[in-house]
C-alpha cells in the first residue's frame, strides 16, 4: 500500500530468485536461532520439502511477507508499482544503475552499497535443496515472479 501511495516519488525494490529466497527463509528464519530469528508460522523442525509443500497450499495473502510471491506485493491491477527493480543476484551492477538514475534525475548521491554476503553468496547452491516435486510446487506458486522478474531454476 505504501508503494501505491508514493505518487511521484522514485520507487525501487529488490527482488530475489524465489528458489533461493525460500532456501534462505528455511535456513535462517525457520531453522535458525540467531538474533532476529522468527519462524514465519512454521515449526523449526519442518523439513525443507515439508515447508515447500505447506506454503504451496497457502493463500498468498495469508503468507508472511518474506515468503509471499513478490508479484503479489509489487503489482497492482497488472501494473508494476516500483519504477526500478533491482535483482539481488546482480545487486552491485543494479545498484550502480540506481545510483546513476538518482544522480541524473534527482541530483542526489547515494552511498556505496554495503552487502552482507553471508547467505547471498549461495550462488546456485539452492538447487541441491530441491527435489522434482518441490521444484514443481515452487514453479506453480511463484510462476508470476519467475515470469515477470526473469527467474528460472
Amino acid at each position: 500500500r505504501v508503494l501505491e501511495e508514493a505518487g511521484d516519488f522514485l520507487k525501487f525494490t529488490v527482488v530475489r530468485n524465489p528458489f533461493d529466497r525460500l532456501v534462505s527463509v528455511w535456513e535462517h528464519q525457520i531453522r535458525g536461532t540467531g538474533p532476529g530469528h522468527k519462524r514465519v508460522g512454521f515449526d523449526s523442525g519442518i523439513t525443507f520439502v515439508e515447508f515447500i509443500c505447506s506454503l504451496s497450499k497457502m493463500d498468498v495473502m495469508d503468507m508472511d511477507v518474506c515468503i509471499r510471491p513478490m508479484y503479489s506485493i509489487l503489482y497492482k491491477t497488472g501494473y508494476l508499482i516500483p519504477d526500478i527493480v533491482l535483482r539481488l543476484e546482480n545487486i552491485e551492477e543494479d545498484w550502480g544503475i540506481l545510483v546513476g538514475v538518482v544522480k541524473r534525475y534527482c541530483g542526489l548521491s547515494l552511498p556505496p552499497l554495503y552487502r552482507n554476503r553471508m547467505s547471498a553468496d549461495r550462488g546456485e547452491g539452492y538447487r541441491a535443496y530441491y527435489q522434482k516435486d518441490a521444484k514443481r510446487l515452487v514453479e506453480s506458486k511463484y510462476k508470476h515472479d519467475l515470469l515477470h522478474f526473469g527467474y528460472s531454476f
Side-chain angles (χ1 to χ4, degrees):
R1 183 174 161 200
V2 171
L3 283 174
E4 296 170 36
E5 296 174 2
D8 293 335
F9 288 95
L10 175 66
K11 300 170 290 294
F12 72 94
T13 191
V14 179
V15 296
R16 186 176 188 181
N17 183 318
F19 292 103
D20 192 34
R21 189 168 131 221
L22 293 174
V23 168
S24 183
V25 168
W26 182 73
E27 284 281 2
H28 301 289
Q29 293 188 16
I30 295 172
R31 288 183 28 168
T33 56
H37 165 70
K38 61 180 184 174
R39 299 245 188 286
V40 297
F42 296 92
D43 179 74
S44 63
I46 194 169
T47 68
F48 182 72
V49 172
E50 291 169 336
F51 166 59
I52 296 299
C53 288
S54 294
L55 73 84
S56 73
K57 297 172 188 168
M58 294 174 74
D59 182 273
V60 168
M61 298 316 289
D62 293 335
M63 296 172 125
D64 185 274
V65 70
C66 70
I67 58 173
R68 186 177 299 164
M70 295 304 294
Y71 181 88
S72 70
I73 299 169
L74 302 176
Y75 277 77
K76 177 77 172 182
T77 62
Y79 293 97
L80 182 64
I81 298 168
D83 302 303
I84 299 174
V85 176
L86 312 179
R87 289 171 42 133
L88 185 64
E89 299 78 14
N90 303 323
I91 195 65
E92 287 89 1
E93 180 181 334
D94 289 357
W95 183 257
I97 293 168
L98 178 65
V99 166
V101 168
V102 168
K103 182 71 171 174
R104 181 173 180 188
Y105 293 101
C106 305
L108 302 172
S109 296
L110 295 177
L113 178 68
Y114 169 77
R115 182 171 174 219
N116 178 349
R117 297 182 178 272
M118 190 169 86
S119 63
D121 284 338
R122 187 178 359 270
E124 293 190 5
Y126 64 83
R127 294 171 186 261
Y129 289 76
Y130 288 89
Q131 298 168 348
K132 185 177 181 180
D133 290 340
K135 177 182 175 274
R136 184 184 49 77
L137 291 172
V138 172
E139 286 172 337
S140 177
K141 192 70 165 187
Y142 294 83
K143 64 185 170 199
H144 293 295
D145 284 11
L146 297 171
L147 176 67
H148 293 279
F149 303 120
Y151 287 114
S152 63
F153 189 70

